[in-house]
Amino acid sequence: MGADTQTAGLALRFRATGIAARRANCALGSWLSEAGLPDDRSEDIRIAVAEAVNNIVEHAYLGLAPGWIRLTGRKTARRVEICISDSGTPLPVGPETEGHPVDPHALKRTLPEGGFGWILIRKLTNRVHYRRGAGRNLLTLHFDLSTASQGL
Amino acid sequence: MSLTSTVQGDAQIITVEAERIDAAMAIQFKEDMRTETASGPKRVILDLTRVDFIDSSGLGAIVAAMKQLDPGRRLDLAGPRPMVAKVFRLTRMDTVFDLYASLDEALAAGSA
């Protein structure tokens, strides 16, 4: 690491396990702070990417031996772009994965314990692009640096 | 064990001794919470001061920990850092839990 330009890219390859995903998320955090992002925007990106990677670990490789996840990051003056690819089964992506906000009037005992991942991804990214091809999932998350996300 | 627990007044304070509540430790966290809250005061305060990262799995584990409490007991949250508070806000979980800025504040609210 320690590239001589502030826009040096990030390239990670790791096993689709919870522990490896955690390490990758920490590496992403270091890259974002080296790239000079303010803490709150860096948090947004780390949260959204963590959720995207969790989806791969928990869904794309469900029932399969943990495969590989490749994560690349690119920063320009205007945005950060994170590409995540894997060779698991197609990711559940689309309107049905929008996630359901919690109903504050629901009884506490009936609250869902999951399904929050896509809510966070949608709220923290400016654009999400998903493509399936050649047996791989390719998910790209775009974060504009000029505009605040809903998380700020 | 990711947690430590003390009783202060009429509240049980459970401190998360980890910097992350994420997918890698969510199941462990839920089990540790089950052990810690098997019995005790009516009010449980989860001190999140040390936690600097939470994801949706961690959030789900806190919801599960609340749901597995005996009826009549409640779970309040104290000391969330900005990142943790943000995740609660974006998922509207801040409408489900009482979040206090600090443990002292949570304790003061209980004795009021």
Side-chain angles (χ1 to χ4, degrees):
Chain A
M1 308 287 266
D4 51 5
T5 148
Q6 60 181 7
T7 51
L10 173 75
L12 302 170
R13 187 170 178 268
F14 54 96
R15 283 262 178 214
T17 66
I19 294 290
R22 175 190 288 179
R23 275 195 223 107
N25 197 268
C26 292
L28 171 67
S30 305
W31 178 72
L32 291 169
S33 44
E34 275 173 33
L37 259 74
D39 283 352
D40 52 359
R41 200 61 177 134
S42 173
E43 282 166 2
D44 291 350
I45 297 172
R46 289 182 67 190
I47 296 165
V49 171
E51 299 303 339
V53 169
N54 284 349
N55 281 336
I56 295 169
V57 174
E58 290 163 17
H59 298 292
Y61 286 116
L62 180 69
L64 306 172
W68 293 95
I69 297 175
R70 186 182 292 275
L71 189 157
T72 59
R74 206 164 65 88
K75 178 186 174 289
T76 64
R78 290 184 178 176
R79 69 175 60 92
V80 170
E81 200 180 286
I82 306 287
C83 297
I84 309 165
S85 68
D86 66 83
S87 46
T89 53
L91 275 176
V93 176
E96 73 277 12
T97 56
E98 287 291 318
H100 303 285
V102 170
D103 173 4
H105 304 296
L107 288 171
K108 290 196 172 182
R109 306 261 154 206
T110 65
L111 280 172
E113 293 169 27
F116 311 119
W118 272 101
I119 297 176
L120 292 169
I121 293 172
R122 298 278 178 205
K123 289 193 174 177
L124 294 170
T125 54
N126 295 96
R127 202 152 52 85
V128 179
H129 183 255
Y130 171 71
R131 191 160 61 84
R132 174 80 186 174
R136 301 177 72 80
N137 296 308
L138 182 62
L139 191 67
T140 310
L141 309 180
H142 299 263
F143 303 88
D144 293 346
L145 297 180
S146 48
T147 58
S149 76
Q150 294 181 48
L152 295 177
Chain B
M1 179 65 88
S2 58
L3 309 170
T4 56
S5 170
T6 59
V7 173
Q8 190 169 326
D10 54 5
Q12 179 183 11
I13 301 162
I14 299 180
T15 306
V16 182
E17 303 288 354
E19 289 173 5
R20 297 172 65 97
I21 310 179
D22 60 12
M25 70 96 77
I27 292 171
Q28 181 69 46
F29 173 83
K30 188 176 160 182
E31 285 311 307
D32 290 350
M33 281 295 286
R34 188 192 298 279
T35 307
E36 291 294 346
T37 60
S39 63
K42 196 171 147 232
R43 185 176 185 224
V44 179
I45 303 171
L46 187 65
D47 184 356
L48 296 169
T49 309
R50 284 197 55 188
V51 179
D52 63 18
F53 190 91
I54 189 167
D55 66 9
S56 64
S57 304
L59 193 64
I62 291 178
V63 173
M66 183 258 287
K67 287 164 70 176
Q68 72 196 6
L69 288 177
D70 288 337
R73 299 181 78 197
R74 58 174 292 119
L75 180 65
D76 292 340
L77 308 177
R81 296 195 192 180
M83 183 271 158
V84 175
K86 184 189 289 182
V87 168
F88 274 84
R89 195 168 63 244
L90 290 173
T91 55
R92 295 203 205 153
M93 276 295 165
D94 59 343
T95 63
V96 171
F97 291 94
D98 286 342
L99 279 96
Y100 296 93
S102 67
L103 181 58
D104 284 348
E105 231 172 79
L107 287 166
S111 57

